[in-house]
Amino acid sequence: MTEIKIPLTVPLAKHREYLKNFNLATASSGSLFLFAGDQKVEHLNSDFVGSGISSEDASPEHLFQIASAAPVGVFATHLGLIAHYGADYPKVPYLVKLNGRTNLYEGTENLMSKAWLKVEDIVEFKKQNKLNILGVGYTVYLGGTNESKMLKSAAKIVREAHQNGLLAVIWMYPRGKNINEDDIHTIAGGAGVAAALGADFVKVKYPYNKKNKETAKDFQEVVKAAGRTKVICVGGGKQDAKEFITYTWQQKNIAGVNGLAAGRNLHQRALPDAIKLATALALIINHDASLEDALAVYLGKKKIERHKKSDFLGLF
Amino acid sequence: MTEIKIPLTVPLAKHREYLKNFNLATASSGSLFLFAGDQKVEHLNSDFVGSGISSEDASPEHLFQIASAAPVGVFATHLGLIAHYGADYPKVPYLVKLNGRTNLYEGTENLMSKAWLKVEDIVEFKKQNKLNILGVGYTVYLGGTNESKMLKSAAKIVREAHQNGLLAVIWMYPRGKNINEDDIHTIAGGAGVAAALGADFVKVKYPYNKKNKETAKDFQEVVKAAGRTKVICVGGGKQDAKEFITYTWQQKNIAGVNGLAAGRNLHQRALPDAIKLATALALIINHDASLEDALAVYLGKKKIERHKKSDFLGLF
Amino acid sequence: MTEIKIPLTVPLAKHREYLKNFNLATASSGSLFLFAGDQKVEHLNSDFVGSGISSEDASPEHLFQIASAAPVGVFATHLGLIAHYGADYPKVPYLVKLNGRTNLYEGTENLMSKAWLKVEDIVEFKKQNKLNILGVGYTVYLGGTNESKMLKSAAKIVREAHQNGLLAVIWMYPRGKNINEDDIHTIAGGAGVAAALGADFVKVKYPYNKKNKETAKDFQEVVKAAGRTKVICVGGGKQDAKEFITYTWQQKNIAGVNGLAAGRNLHQRALPDAIKLATALALIINHDASLEDALAVYLGKKKIERHKKSDFLGLF
Amino acid sequence: MTEIKIPLTVPLAKHREYLKNFNLATASSGSLFLFAGDQKVEHLNSDFVGSGISSEDASPEHLFQIASAAPVGVFATHLGLIAHYGADYPKVPYLVKLNGRTNLYEGTENLMSKAWLKVEDIVEFKKQNKLNILGVGYTVYLGGTNESKMLKSAAKIVREAHQNGLLAVIWMYPRGKNINEDDIHTIAGGAGVAAALGADFVKVKYPYNKKNKETAKDFQEVVKAAGRTKVICVGGGKQDAKEFITYTWQQKNIAGVNGLAAGRNLHQRALPDAIKLATALALIINHDASLEDALAVYLGKKKIERHKKSDFLGLF
Amino acid sequence: MTEIKIPLTVPLAKHREYLKNFNLATASSGSLFLFAGDQKVEHLNSDFVGSGISSEDASPEHLFQIASAAPVGVFATHLGLIAHYGADYPKVPYLVKLNGRTNLYEGTENLMSKAWLKVEDIVEFKKQNKLNILGVGYTVYLGGTNESKMLKSAAKIVREAHQNGLLAVIWMYPRGKNINEDDIHTIAGGAGVAAALGADFVKVKYPYNKKNKETAKDFQEVVKAAGRTKVICVGGGKQDAKEFITYTWQQKNIAGVNGLAAGRNLHQRALPDAIKLATALALIINHDASLEDALAVYLGKKKIERHKKSDFLGLF
């Protein structure tokens, strides 16, 4: 178990709960495997139906089945889905995504995405249901006329999450006409803003189009800029499983990030394949697996040896 | 009586009330026959006076007469009308529509429709009057610059409705210059957003212009995307009664939706005709009637046999 | 005394106060003679100084003198004026106009007029001063980008007025580039919105430019659309007294409205003339006078016979 | 001591405090000599440094020195300055200007100036410091898209000031592309709005460019329109002292206004000159001095005879 | 120890705390050496990585190392960073910067920067952690359409800071198309606004491009305009150390300012160099050092003699 620095916005009386949430989310490794399930708002139904997408994905229950069976650290989704399915999937570690916007508004400028609910609503919900709600998530779009409102909301959410012993994860996206979303220096800037906000983890874009280890090395700038706020990379659109595993390994071991946010790469697969892939990813993220071992496990060429299944928080 | 999953946003102390409301609204069938009476705001007086519209419809009391005499699950209208007529129609199952906008603003972009009142106001009103207020309704327009505000309001309304044991119905309309409102994939996206909001029912458009069973089959995408949020189809403008009954049967039995929202198709008819039509629709929605039976009942060729009148919640 | 239906938004404990206010405002006739005195904001000083305007009208005290001496149901004006003159005119039945905008902003689009004060402020004021404050008024402009905010305010104001036993009067004006303010169908639409808001009375435009009884008959659409919300017609600019009396009679007896809102037609006249005209109008509105009687009384050819002066709430 | 009508928005329990504030501010004359010191925000440093401006004016302390030594009724300035200097100038009668905007935004349209603080903050401040805070001031710009917000704030401020026994002064400025700020009819309209807001005093523009008594006579329209809200004229830019005194006399004795707001005309002068000028003005405003006497006193040709120095609230 | 005037917005019960904070921040000299560390938001990662920037600066911890080792009066940064690092740097005197905006939005017009948190949140944080939080900071942009909102926030923040015994520092920047940010008269105007807000210190631009003592002399206008609000100059981009020391000396001793805000000039240097420079600056700001002495100390040619190390608040 890595030693962690509890942010001072977590009051003493909530240290135990924060630690419990942090260790559960990171399998006590300090790194977070976030299963992103907020695309029903962000991308409407396009991520769930179509060519190359498993037919199981048409129903939101598929998300819960994966979250329940695969060794993810948190399943990030909106409260409404948790309210409808949570009773049947009580052991999933949840992170409530507080905001969301659809892609019907075309363009990248002056985006706005308000928090749907207050942190106190989530705390009340957790109290009423005893679900494993480990934290909250909020997306910030930097660069538009609403930046100021979103930074204010984000700071408030981080503070209130911590006051209640919950983790705070910020999705940080610079967006706008003249903004290159794949520019590592810009991504690093966003990570620094998340640090100023006091987030525990910041979810940022990774330039997957640049396919070499040099990118992972350059990405160290992002990790440094974030300071004690830990960086997790967005998985993005569905990729070839082996490539995705490779990227994840490079991000963790070369760039030095502390986690991954995978959404489409998991739920667009049928349940067994999603579980296999998630297992390989978790080995890298939480258990320092070598790339070879992770790939071998995914391909079924190797059983999980070095890491006992019990490490996986009893999810197998 | 179908077994239902109570959303976790309904606290334990309100389970009994939520169940009572749900079963009353759905005639214990799990499907909702919503009589939509919010057009006095949405369409001003154009839905109530004109050629092909019964002269009875000129006064809002016509809505209450139908709601009182026909076997609808809920009558959705604004609080002001309920305040003025409710004492004379105390047995109607009401659903308070919280927002509304007129069609004087031409265009479909950047629409906004704020909730007129808070859920707590409705709860207070119910307490003061002992009316059968079963739930609340709220319209969301996706795709414009106000989307974010409306999603926030919707999430808050759903949560607060559930905290008080009330049903939450979301009218979900993607709107904008480049949005095809009849596109099933887009409608499915909207239904998924309602699921993320935690709505009990989502009221969506149905592409009535495409007149075949294939449409109903394609519409399954919407029902799947909504998950445990149940889909009800908008009735739209007044149609031929037999066609409307047929569509409703297809929606229920082919697409798999859980209800119908009929407004103009009922209130633009004289009271006896409206009751006949509503009876046929209720047979399909709440009592699994065959299309033939429903049509026969509407045409007066068949008495209600299979379903005892008493199933209709004593409304006859 | 007409039997009235108390809206359900008035709690039982406030029934007596609401009834008292309603009967005082309508002289127990169910119809409201509203003396509109909010033009100091709406039209700045143009309604009070100029050719054809009595020099007495230059000072706001003229309004109070008329309100005090003429048999009006309520005198609608802003709180500031009531605060400065109310102690000297304690018997006037007041209706506090909550919002107002100047005509300095040219154009009819995207109008906005916020409530200056909360209903609770008015309730507190009434408690502190024991004035006859019978209700509140609020103007809604339909059709612009601020419609949604104004509908929300209006619904809140109606509800809170009723919760405190006060009357709620809505000034309802569809406004915008493509909106014909004299179109009866559009006016009816606005009246229907006021019904959905739960107003007691809705003040609407009347197409005075169309000078025949046919207009009054067509205007029945408005009265029907409003349902149990009673319609009162705007008096508009100063007219010939006999014509104005004739219009009022037609509105009441042909269109079926329940009252009149007269402003400039009263205060632009010298006090004695204003009182004479108001008396004739009150005979029509509250006492079912014939047109001939009303005209004769205005012209001094007939004394008030059928109606005892004492009917006029002791205002003579 | 003139008899005054206490507005009904002042509760009985605050009558004594309101009267004390009113009499202190008006030297028991009913007319207000307001020393306007809010230009550090409104005009940045341009009113305080430059040709024709005393070098003393470079520091804000100059304002307090004048306010302390000259017989002004209130010194209107922002709370921050009072907080920094008030302890050294404890006898000054203060009026806290609640809002302010800079002139960096060029143009006159759609101006906005929010209240920086709430009336209750000022009440708390007064309680903490026992300073002579007699009232609050707020500027309203009529005619733009923010008019509605400012009218709402103004009404709230007037009401809350009165609830706490404080005076409420409204700076009322119609502004916009097609608005003639020097048009007396328009100024009168603004004064009428202030009356509708319930202000005690309204500060309006005076058309100084029209140099004859006719203007003062025409200005009676403004005074009449304001009713029981008393009118005070803006002093404007620095003028020749004798002309300024003459204007002030005409405003008081021909137009019938109840006071003056002088800012630059005082503070751009060296302290002794400012005191002399203020003394002459106070003689006109509060002590019915003749123009000749006032001019003679300013020029040092006459000692204060008719009015004992002790009338000046012990400020000499 | 200079005698200071405690603003009246600080209640008596908080005098001791305010004095403690003030003296700690100014080393009892009345002048403030502010180490500005809010650029992770303002300039993203561009101030922390690049040519001429020490590689240590890539991590936010570098800021804390400087703040901990160098004799700065306050380290101004966002709460999130303090929350993550404060436990390891408990002796740093902190000033919480409440707002921030990124430079992704190009242009200087209509800027907006909301306060992320309330003053009461900071007070609560201080209570929970016993850190040396001496005050709060807030940036105001004058001249745009959001000026009014920011002035309101600033006034509220200053008042609430003082109510809690904290210092209030305003970053005051006139910005817009036609605004010359280097114009001393305009800067003086901004300083006057800060005085009207009641700030303890105002951080303003200094025209470094004008390289002579005349500029420092002209800058006296700014200091005078600010009155009892003390002026501190922005350090701006990294400069040659000797030039920077010289400017600082001129600002202090010719212009008469009360402090300096240095950011990039410190953190873009390696720790030892940053400490040396900060020491020289502190000698000027807090200890009246001569320019020669300060330069000599920076160059290592002279040991600190006149001032005992213990003067530096035990930071060495």
Side-chain angles (χ1 to χ4, degrees), chain B residues 7-278:
Chain B
L8 296 181
T9 29
V10 180
L12 201 56
K14 296 288 178 182
H15 275 207
R16 183 197 287 264
E17 182 164 354
Y18 179 86
L19 276 173
K20 186 180 149 204
N21 289 334
F22 188 88
N23 285 324
L24 200 51
T26 64
S28 298
S29 74
S31 288
L32 177 67
F33 181 7
L34 182 148
F35 174 34
D38 59 345
Q39 299 92 349
K40 291 193 89 67
V41 179
E42 298 291 330
H43 303 148
L44 296 176
N45 218 34
S46 298
D47 283 4
F48 300 95
V49 165
S51 90
I53 299 175
S54 165
S55 64
E56 298 172 34
D57 207 15
S59 162
E61 187 144 14
H62 186 52
L63 298 170
F64 286 83
Q65 288 168 332
I66 294 170
S68 180
V72 301
V74 292
F75 169 40
T77 194
H78 293 102
L79 189 71
L81 286 172
I82 301 174
H84 274 303
Y85 292 95
D88 290 343
Y89 300 92
K91 291 191 173 165
V92 170
Y94 292 104
L95 184 129
V96 181
K97 183 75 195 305
L98 290 172
N99 61 345
R101 55 176 287 280
T102 73
N103 54 6
L104 289 170
Y105 174 74
E106 297 166 15
T108 57
E109 291 184 83
N110 302 329
L111 302 180
M112 183 61 195
S113 191
K114 284 178 178 283
W116 294 3
L117 296 163
K118 296 179 182 172
V119 170
E120 68 185 84
D121 296 333
I122 309 309
V123 171
E124 178 74 10
F125 180 80
K126 183 174 180 177
K127 201 179 296 172
Q128 290 178 347
N129 294 293
K130 315 285 182 213
L131 288 184
N132 276 329
I133 295 179
L134 310 186
V136 293
Y138 180 77
T139 301
V140 172
Y141 299 106
L142 296 177
T145 54
N146 294 308
E147 177 191 288
S148 180
K149 287 182 192 164
M150 281 188 277
L151 287 176
K152 177 177 182 168
S153 289
K156 185 173 155 69
I157 286 166
V158 171
R159 183 186 168 276
E160 292 179 359
H162 285 177
Q163 288 287 312
N164 289 287
L166 296 171
L167 301 181
V169 180
I170 297 293
W171 277 235
M172 183 63 78
Y173 302 136
R175 287 279 167 88
K177 206 167 46 182
N178 300 316
I179 293 169
N180 178 359
E181 297 178 32
D182 285 321
D183 176 50
I184 287 176
H185 190 56
T186 301
I187 296 169
V193 173
L197 290 167
D200 298 297
F201 292 90
V202 58
K203 181 170 173 263
V204 296
K205 241 199 137 177
Y206 186 81
Y208 285 105
N209 54 337
K210 298 173 183 162
K211 297 196 172 191
N212 49 42
K213 293 185 184 174
E214 206 54 45
T215 297
K217 205 168 167 193
D218 290 349
F219 207 77
Q220 292 173 358
E221 180 186 346
V222 178
V223 176
K224 279 183 192 149
R228 293 183 181 173
T229 293
K230 291 161 189 273
V231 176
I232 62 178
C233 292
V234 169
K238 190 179 168 185
Q239 307 183 41
D240 171 78
K242 284 178 286 183
E243 278 197 8
F244 191 56
I245 292 168
T246 305
Y247 274 128
T248 300
W249 187 90
Q250 290 174 354
Q251 288 164 357
K252 178 84 191 312
N253 295 283
I254 299 176
V257 306
N258 282 93
L260 174 74
R264 287 166 276 175
N265 276 291
L266 294 180
H267 66 71
Q268 291 186 350
R269 288 178 157 86
L271 185 58
D273 195 18
I275 295 173
K276 268 199 309 181
L277 178 53

Side-chain angles (χ1 to χ4, degrees), chain D residues 18-314:
Chain D
Y18 179 86
L19 277 174
K20 186 180 148 204
N21 290 333
F22 188 88
N23 286 324
L24 201 50
T26 64
S28 298
S29 73
S31 288
L32 176 66
F33 181 8
L34 183 148
F35 174 35
D38 60 344
Q39 299 93 347
K40 292 193 86 69
V41 179
E42 298 292 331
H43 302 149
L44 296 176
N45 218 34
S46 298
D47 283 4
F48 301 94
V49 166
S51 89
I53 300 175
S54 164
S55 65
E56 298 172 33
D57 208 16
S59 162
E61 188 145 11
H62 185 52
L63 299 169
F64 287 82
Q65 287 168 332
I66 295 170
S68 180
V72 300
V74 291
F75 169 40
T77 194
H78 292 102
L79 189 71
L81 286 172
I82 301 173
H84 274 303
Y85 292 94
D88 290 343
Y89 300 92
K91 290 190 174 166
V92 171
Y94 292 104
L95 184 128
V96 181
K97 183 75 194 306
L98 290 173
N99 62 345
R101 55 177 286 281
T102 74
N103 54 5
L104 289 171
Y105 174 73
E106 298 167 13
T108 57
E109 290 184 83
N110 302 328
L111 302 181
M112 183 61 195
S113 191
K114 284 177 178 283
W116 294 3
L117 296 162
K118 297 178 182 172
V119 171
E120 68 185 85
D121 296 333
I122 308 309
V123 171
E124 178 74 11
F125 180 80
K126 182 174 181 178
K127 201 179 297 171
Q128 289 178 347
N129 294 294
K130 315 285 183 214
L131 287 185
N132 275 328
I133 295 179
L134 310 186
V136 293
Y138 179 78
T139 300
V140 172
Y141 299 107
L142 296 177
T145 55
N146 294 309
E147 176 191 288
S148 179
K149 287 182 191 163
M150 280 187 279
L151 287 176
K152 178 178 182 167
S153 289
K156 187 174 153 67
I157 285 166
V158 171
R159 184 186 167 276
E160 292 179 0
H162 286 177
Q163 288 288 311
N164 289 287
L166 296 172
L167 302 180
V169 181
I170 297 293
W171 277 234
M172 183 63 78
Y173 303 135
R175 288 278 166 89
K177 206 167 46 182
N178 300 316
I179 294 169
N180 177 0
E181 297 178 32
D182 285 321
D183 176 51
I184 286 176
H185 190 56
T186 301
I187 295 169
V193 173
L197 291 166
D200 298 298
F201 291 90
V202 58
K203 180 168 174 263
V204 297
K205 240 198 137 177
Y206 186 81
Y208 286 104
N209 54 337
K210 298 173 183 162
K211 298 196 172 190
N212 48 43
K213 293 184 184 175
E214 207 54 44
T215 297
K217 204 168 168 193
D218 291 348
F219 207 77
Q220 292 174 359
E221 180 186 345
V222 178
V223 175
K224 279 184 192 149
R228 293 184 180 172
T229 293
K230 292 160 187 274
V231 175
I232 62 178
C233 292
V234 168
K238 188 177 170 186
Q239 306 183 41
D240 171 78
K242 285 178 287 182
E243 280 197 7
F244 191 56
I245 291 168
T246 305
Y247 274 128
T248 299
W249 188 89
Q250 290 175 352
Q251 289 163 357
K252 178 85 191 312
N253 296 284
I254 300 176
V257 306
N258 282 93
L260 174 74
R264 287 166 277 175
N265 277 291
L266 295 180
H267 66 71
Q268 292 185 350
R269 288 179 158 85
L271 185 59
D273 195 19
I275 294 173
K276 268 198 310 179
L277 178 53
T279 303
L281 296 170
L283 285 169
I284 291 168
I285 297 165
N286 300 133
H287 302 282
D288 280 332
S290 68
L291 177 54
E292 292 68 30
D293 279 3
L295 285 169
V297 165
Y298 174 69
L299 296 169
K301 296 182 180 163
K302 187 163 185 176
K303 299 280 179 190
I304 298 173
E305 305 172 353
R306 286 196 341 213
H307 310 283
K308 295 199 300 276
K309 280 189 175 176
S310 64
D311 285 359
F312 287 106
L313 299 168

Side-chain angles (χ1 to χ4, degrees), chain C residues 7-315:
Chain C
L8 296 181
T9 28
V10 180
L12 202 55
K14 296 288 177 182
H15 274 206
R16 183 198 287 264
E17 182 164 354
Y18 179 87
L19 277 173
K20 185 180 149 204
N21 289 333
F22 188 88
N23 285 325
L24 200 51
T26 64
S28 298
S29 74
S31 289
L32 177 67
F33 182 8
L34 183 148
F35 174 34
D38 59 345
Q39 299 94 347
K40 291 193 88 68
V41 179
E42 298 293 330
H43 303 148
L44 296 175
N45 217 34
S46 298
D47 283 4
F48 301 94
V49 165
S51 90
I53 300 176
S54 164
S55 64
E56 299 172 33
D57 208 14
S59 161
E61 188 144 13
H62 186 52
L63 299 170
F64 287 82
Q65 287 169 332
I66 295 171
S68 180
V72 301
V74 291
F75 168 40
T77 194
H78 292 102
L79 189 71
L81 286 172
I82 301 173
H84 273 303
Y85 292 94
D88 291 342
Y89 300 92
K91 290 191 173 165
V92 171
Y94 292 104
L95 184 129
V96 182
K97 184 75 195 306
L98 290 172
N99 61 345
R101 54 177 286 280
T102 74
N103 54 6
L104 289 170
Y105 174 74
E106 298 166 14
T108 57
E109 291 184 83
N110 303 329
L111 302 181
M112 183 62 195
S113 192
K114 284 177 178 284
W116 294 3
L117 296 163
K118 297 178 183 173
V119 170
E120 68 185 84
D121 296 333
I122 308 309
V123 171
E124 178 75 10
F125 180 80
K126 182 174 181 177
K127 201 179 296 171
Q128 290 177 347
N129 295 293
K130 315 285 183 213
L131 288 184
N132 276 329
I133 295 179
L134 310 186
V136 293
Y138 180 78
T139 300
V140 172
Y141 299 107
L142 295 177
T145 54
N146 294 308
E147 177 192 288
S148 180
K149 287 182 191 163
M150 281 188 278
L151 287 175
K152 178 178 182 167
S153 289
K156 185 173 155 69
I157 286 166
V158 171
R159 184 186 167 275
E160 291 178 0
H162 285 177
Q163 289 287 312
N164 289 287
L166 295 171
L167 301 181
V169 180
I170 297 294
W171 278 234
M172 182 64 77
Y173 301 136
R175 287 279 166 88
K177 206 167 47 182
N178 300 315
I179 293 170
N180 177 1
E181 296 179 32
D182 284 321
D183 176 51
I184 287 176
H185 190 55
T186 301
I187 295 169
V193 173
L197 291 167
D200 298 298
F201 291 90
V202 60
K203 180 170 175 262
V204 297
K205 240 199 137 177
Y206 186 81
Y208 286 104
N209 54 337
K210 297 173 182 162
K211 298 195 172 192
N212 49 42
K213 294 184 183 175
E214 207 53 45
T215 297
K217 205 169 168 192
D218 291 348
F219 207 77
Q220 292 173 358
E221 179 186 346
V222 178
V223 175
K224 279 184 192 149
R228 293 184 180 172
T229 293
K230 291 161 188 274
V231 174
I232 62 178
C233 293
V234 169
K238 189 178 169 187
Q239 306 183 41
D240 170 78
K242 285 179 286 184
E243 279 197 8
F244 191 56
I245 292 168
T246 305
Y247 274 128
T248 300
W249 188 89
Q250 290 175 352
Q251 289 163 357
K252 178 84 192 310
N253 295 282
I254 300 176
V257 306
N258 282 93
L260 174 73
R264 286 165 278 175
N265 276 292
L266 295 180
H267 66 71
Q268 292 185 349
R269 288 179 158 86
L271 184 60
D273 195 19
I275 295 173
K276 268 198 310 181
L277 178 53
T279 304
L281 296 170
L283 285 170
I284 292 168
I285 296 164
N286 300 133
H287 303 282
D288 279 331
S290 69
L291 178 54
E292 293 67 31
D293 280 3
L295 285 169
V297 164
Y298 173 69
L299 296 169
K301 296 182 179 163
K302 188 164 185 176
K303 299 279 180 190
I304 298 172
E305 304 172 353
R306 287 199 338 216
H307 311 284
K308 295 199 300 276
K309 281 189 175 175
S310 64
D311 286 0
F312 287 106
L313 299 168
L315 292 167

